[in-house]
Every structure is written in structure tokens, then in C-alpha cells.
Amino acid sequence: LLGAVTINANNVTVGEVDHGFTINGVGQAGVYVQGSRSGLTLGGNIIVAANNKNAFLTEGGQSNFTISGNTFQGSASQLVYVNGFPSVGLLSTNVDFIGNTFGGTATGPLLGQEADDSSIVGNTFNGNTSYAALEIHGDNTTVSDNTLTGSGAGAGVLVSEFSSGALINASSGANTINGFAIGIQVDGSDVIVQFNIIEDNSFGLDNTSGELVNAEKNWWGSLHGPFHDDTNLLGEGDEVSNFVDFSPWCTTDDLEDCEEGGVQFLGSNGPLDELLLSFDPNPVAIPNASELTVTAVDADGVRLVNDSREIELNAGGTTKFDGIGGPALINLVGGVLTTDVTETIPGTVNVVAK
């Protein structure tokens, strides 16, 4: 037997959300798609892998599948696998996985996706694998709003050398990736990784492709951004490799604030472009004190949250900074310093920071 359920026709529907079947795998799979098929709707089912085989398996040449609201479980080699051009030379396209749960255990991926132009949205990956929870081989795959939770081994998302144009969130809905040896492994090209929560992995993003990955505006588990052994030594979040553009990063795990709130929710590792000065209250009412804030920012106005350089403040005359006459030398903390500015002689106070 190929599977407990074998699909060998087009436009087949098996179950629907909240009204599906329990399918216990036999042969190669619980559900096996034979030949080049289109229009499959698979929804609301509990599908158990054939022992050490698959819960769902296709032969390649698939198109326009909607696989939603299913629970895939059992002991498997590859829990769910969609074959396509990389493995069998038959192009698969538009095979979408929406709102499924991938549990059980697998020696290979929980979901292996070789179909091009496909979406993987709103799924939960909580099964155990030492390989990868999600393996992407197809081109132009969109991955958003998924939760991937590991047990210390394997990768959360693996983008293979066969894949081009993978879009891992980029504002469609945050993916949460935690608990893996490697959060995201990139071997493919033209990959964008943005607005994701990537934390509590042994390594956050490892790029072996040799091409720069746009990984800006992610939360890496720390206000100080990801650790990089050359360009962000003060980063306390998950580590990133070379060829990863991680700056600016989100300084909060509320990614809606990060996406819509502007530079106040972003951090940068530089270089310094400008020291911004602001007074509260402004204007200063002499002889009352005014609080001065100095912020180090990059060319986009993003705070250098790991900057601790010494700043010289001077205003001449009898102006004092925290009771010290200028020039005063004060170190930034997290790219910012605050000090009380006082002056006893009426007139204009011109503060210079450098």
C-alpha cells in the first residue's frame, strides 16, 4: 500500500476544518498523493505517520493544494514532505500549509517543502527532530505567523541551496523560533528575514550561502541585539554569522511596536552619525535646572544602544552639568546620557556635545 488514503485524482477534498478524519498511516504514509495532481483540499484531519515513514507524502508535480487545520503526528522519517523539482524533477507549485500542527518525532524534517510560490502560515511546529522543523527547497516561499519550538537540536527553519526568494515573515505576521541548535539556517539565495522573534536558540541565524541576508528588524532576545563576534560584541541575543545584515534590530518583542513605532523601538550598531540634544523643559527657565538628554544615533536616526563612548559637554560661562562646570566628561549608557544643566546668569545657553 502507498498509504491509508491514496489520492490519484484532481480536485479531491479530504475533511474540512473541525470536521475531519483520523487517518492512521500504513505503507508509505497516512495520506499519499500519487502522480501530478492539482486542487487537493486537506482539512481538519488527524493524520498519523506510517511507522518510520510519513504522515503526508507526494510524488511531485503538485499544484494548488490547500492543507489547513490538520494535526500531523507519529514516528516518521519525514513527517510531511512535498516533492518537487529538486528531488524528482517535477515542478510543484502553490502548495499552501495554513494553521496545521506538526507534532510527533522525525529523523528528517517535520515539513519538507519543495513546491514553489507557496505559503506556510499560522502553523505550530512542536514535534521533535534533530534535523529541521521546516525545510524549504522551493522558490518564493512565504513563511509567516508560525510558532516553531525545538528541544535543543536541529534547525527551526532550513533554507536549502535549491531555494531562492524565501520571505520569512517581513511584516506578514511574526514567526517565533526558539529552542533549536540553529534558529534559521540559510544556504539559499535572496532570503529576507524580518520582523521575527528569534530567541533562546544556541545560534540564531547561520548563513553559509556567501550572499548577504537581510535580517533587519528582528527581536533576537535582547535589547542589545544579536551577538556577532566582530561587529556586535555587546549583543546579548542569539548569535549570528557573517553575511547577516542584522542592524537595525527590534528592541522589543512587541513586533507591532517595532514595525509601526519608528526608531524609538529600534537599535543599531552604528556607525555614529550624530549626537542629538534635547532639553526638558525647553526653553530653559534660568536659574531653574533643565534636563539634557544626549542620544547617539546612526544615519537613519536609530539609537546606538551599545554605545558607551565618553562625551564632552561644554557651554562656557557658569553653566554646569550635574553640578560640574564645563567641559564635563560623561559616558553614554546604552547610547544615551542625561544630565541636569544649570546656569545662574540670564542669557542664552549654547551646549556643545562631542
Side-chain angles (χ1 to χ4, degrees), residues 330-343:
I330 307 175
N331 284 91
L332 298 172
V333 177
V336 177
L337 71 81
T338 58
T339 181
D340 286 334
V341 180
T342 56
E343 174 60 74

PDB file of all heavy atoms in Angstrom, residues 330-343:
ATOM      1  N   ILE A 330      31.270  62.822  30.315  1.00  0.00           N
ATOM      2  CA  ILE A 330      30.269  61.876  30.799  1.00  0.00           C
ATOM      3  C   ILE A 330      30.130  60.757  29.772  1.00  0.00           C
ATOM      4  O   ILE A 330      30.078  61.007  28.559  1.00  0.00           O
ATOM      5  CB  ILE A 330      28.899  62.564  31.023  1.00  0.00           C
ATOM      6  CG1 ILE A 330      29.040  63.785  31.929  1.00  0.00           C
ATOM      7  CG2 ILE A 330      27.889  61.575  31.606  1.00  0.00           C
ATOM      8  CD1 ILE A 330      27.749  64.568  32.091  1.00  0.00           C
ATOM      9  N   ASN A 331      30.032  59.516  30.249  1.00  0.00           N
ATOM     10  CA  ASN A 331      29.893  58.366  29.344  1.00  0.00           C
ATOM     11  C   ASN A 331      28.433  58.086  29.012  1.00  0.00           C
ATOM     12  O   ASN A 331      27.538  58.206  29.856  1.00  0.00           O
ATOM     13  CB  ASN A 331      30.495  57.112  29.967  1.00  0.00           C
ATOM     14  CG  ASN A 331      32.011  57.119  29.925  1.00  0.00           C
ATOM     15  OD1 ASN A 331      32.648  57.589  30.865  1.00  0.00           O
ATOM     16  ND2 ASN A 331      32.592  56.624  28.842  1.00  0.00           N
ATOM     17  N   LEU A 332      28.213  57.727  27.763  1.00  0.00           N
ATOM     18  CA  LEU A 332      26.901  57.237  27.365  1.00  0.00           C
ATOM     19  C   LEU A 332      26.622  55.897  28.039  1.00  0.00           C
ATOM     20  O   LEU A 332      27.529  55.110  28.280  1.00  0.00           O
ATOM     21  CB  LEU A 332      26.837  57.035  25.846  1.00  0.00           C
ATOM     22  CG  LEU A 332      27.033  58.260  24.953  1.00  0.00           C
ATOM     23  CD1 LEU A 332      27.143  57.812  23.498  1.00  0.00           C
ATOM     24  CD2 LEU A 332      25.891  59.242  25.111  1.00  0.00           C
ATOM     25  N   VAL A 333      25.360  55.649  28.304  1.00  0.00           N
ATOM     26  CA  VAL A 333      24.902  54.349  28.775  1.00  0.00           C
ATOM     27  C   VAL A 333      23.789  53.902  27.832  1.00  0.00           C
ATOM     28  O   VAL A 333      22.742  54.544  27.763  1.00  0.00           O
ATOM     29  CB  VAL A 333      24.388  54.400  30.219  1.00  0.00           C
ATOM     30  CG1 VAL A 333      23.857  53.027  30.639  1.00  0.00           C
ATOM     31  CG2 VAL A 333      25.485  54.860  31.175  1.00  0.00           C
ATOM     32  N   GLY A 334      24.036  52.837  27.078  1.00  0.00           N
ATOM     33  CA  GLY A 334      23.044  52.418  26.102  1.00  0.00           C
ATOM     34  C   GLY A 334      22.808  53.454  25.016  1.00  0.00           C
ATOM     35  O   GLY A 334      21.710  53.578  24.478  1.00  0.00           O
ATOM     36  N   GLY A 335      23.848  54.203  24.684  1.00  0.00           N
ATOM     37  CA  GLY A 335      23.734  55.222  23.644  1.00  0.00           C
ATOM     38  C   GLY A 335      23.100  56.518  24.099  1.00  0.00           C
ATOM     39  O   GLY A 335      22.842  57.403  23.275  1.00  0.00           O
ATOM     40  N   VAL A 336      22.875  56.679  25.410  1.00  0.00           N
ATOM     41  CA  VAL A 336      22.171  57.854  25.931  1.00  0.00           C
ATOM     42  C   VAL A 336      22.859  58.342  27.204  1.00  0.00           C
ATOM     43  O   VAL A 336      23.386  57.542  27.982  1.00  0.00           O
ATOM     44  CB  VAL A 336      20.700  57.524  26.248  1.00  0.00           C
ATOM     45  CG1 VAL A 336      19.981  58.717  26.859  1.00  0.00           C
ATOM     46  CG2 VAL A 336      19.967  57.065  25.005  1.00  0.00           C
ATOM     47  N   LEU A 337      22.851  59.666  27.422  1.00  0.00           N
ATOM     48  CA  LEU A 337      23.184  60.203  28.731  1.00  0.00           C
ATOM     49  C   LEU A 337      22.189  61.294  29.072  1.00  0.00           C
ATOM     50  O   LEU A 337      21.656  61.976  28.188  1.00  0.00           O
ATOM     51  CB  LEU A 337      24.621  60.732  28.783  1.00  0.00           C
ATOM     52  CG  LEU A 337      25.007  62.024  28.040  1.00  0.00           C
ATOM     53  CD1 LEU A 337      24.626  63.286  28.804  1.00  0.00           C
ATOM     54  CD2 LEU A 337      26.504  62.027  27.761  1.00  0.00           C
ATOM     55  N   THR A 338      21.905  61.423  30.351  1.00  0.00           N
ATOM     56  CA  THR A 338      21.049  62.507  30.841  1.00  0.00           C
ATOM     57  C   THR A 338      21.794  63.236  31.945  1.00  0.00           C
ATOM     58  O   THR A 338      22.502  62.625  32.755  1.00  0.00           O
ATOM     59  CB  THR A 338      19.710  61.985  31.378  1.00  0.00           C
ATOM     60  OG1 THR A 338      19.941  61.049  32.425  1.00  0.00           O
ATOM     61  CG2 THR A 338      18.899  61.340  30.270  1.00  0.00           C
ATOM     62  N   THR A 339      21.638  64.549  31.962  1.00  0.00           N
ATOM     63  CA  THR A 339      22.315  65.368  32.959  1.00  0.00           C
ATOM     64  C   THR A 339      21.502  66.625  33.211  1.00  0.00           C
ATOM     65  O   THR A 339      20.804  67.116  32.306  1.00  0.00           O
ATOM     66  CB  THR A 339      23.740  65.735  32.491  1.00  0.00           C
ATOM     67  OG1 THR A 339      24.387  66.524  33.485  1.00  0.00           O
ATOM     68  CG2 THR A 339      23.725  66.508  31.181  1.00  0.00           C
ATOM     69  N   ASP A 340      21.567  67.143  34.438  1.00  0.00           N
ATOM     70  CA  ASP A 340      20.909  68.407  34.756  1.00  0.00           C
ATOM     71  C   ASP A 340      21.815  69.566  34.368  1.00  0.00           C
ATOM     72  O   ASP A 340      23.009  69.592  34.722  1.00  0.00           O
ATOM     73  CB  ASP A 340      20.588  68.490  36.249  1.00  0.00           C
ATOM     74  CG  ASP A 340      19.429  67.596  36.642  1.00  0.00           C
ATOM     75  OD1 ASP A 340      18.591  67.317  35.763  1.00  0.00           O
ATOM     76  OD2 ASP A 340      19.362  67.172  37.806  1.00  0.00           O
ATOM     77  N   VAL A 341      21.264  70.515  33.630  1.00  0.00           N
ATOM     78  CA  VAL A 341      22.001  71.693  33.195  1.00  0.00           C
ATOM     79  C   VAL A 341      21.522  72.879  34.019  1.00  0.00           C
ATOM     80  O   VAL A 341      20.315  73.152  34.086  1.00  0.00           O
ATOM     81  CB  VAL A 341      21.781  71.971  31.702  1.00  0.00           C
ATOM     82  CG1 VAL A 341      22.564  73.208  31.261  1.00  0.00           C
ATOM     83  CG2 VAL A 341      22.184  70.764  30.866  1.00  0.00           C
ATOM     84  N   THR A 342      22.457  73.568  34.665  1.00  0.00           N
ATOM     85  CA  THR A 342      22.109  74.755  35.469  1.00  0.00           C
ATOM     86  C   THR A 342      22.950  75.943  35.036  1.00  0.00           C
ATOM     87  O   THR A 342      24.098  75.791  34.600  1.00  0.00           O
ATOM     88  CB  THR A 342      22.337  74.490  36.962  1.00  0.00           C
ATOM     89  OG1 THR A 342      23.692  74.084  37.182  1.00  0.00           O
ATOM     90  CG2 THR A 342      21.389  73.417  37.482  1.00  0.00           C
ATOM     91  N   GLU A 343      22.357  77.114  35.169  1.00  0.00           N
ATOM     92  CA  GLU A 343      23.027  78.370  34.825  1.00  0.00           C
ATOM     93  C   GLU A 343      22.415  79.462  35.687  1.00  0.00           C
ATOM     94  O   GLU A 343      21.186  79.529  35.838  1.00  0.00           O
ATOM     95  CB  GLU A 343      22.866  78.685  33.337  1.00  0.00           C
ATOM     96  CG  GLU A 343      23.405  80.022  32.892  1.00  0.00           C
ATOM     97  CD  GLU A 343      24.890  80.166  33.154  1.00  0.00           C
ATOM     98  OE1 GLU A 343      25.692  79.553  32.423  1.00  0.00           O
ATOM     99  OE2 GLU A 343      25.235  80.886  34.113  1.00  0.00           O
TER     100      GLU A 343
END
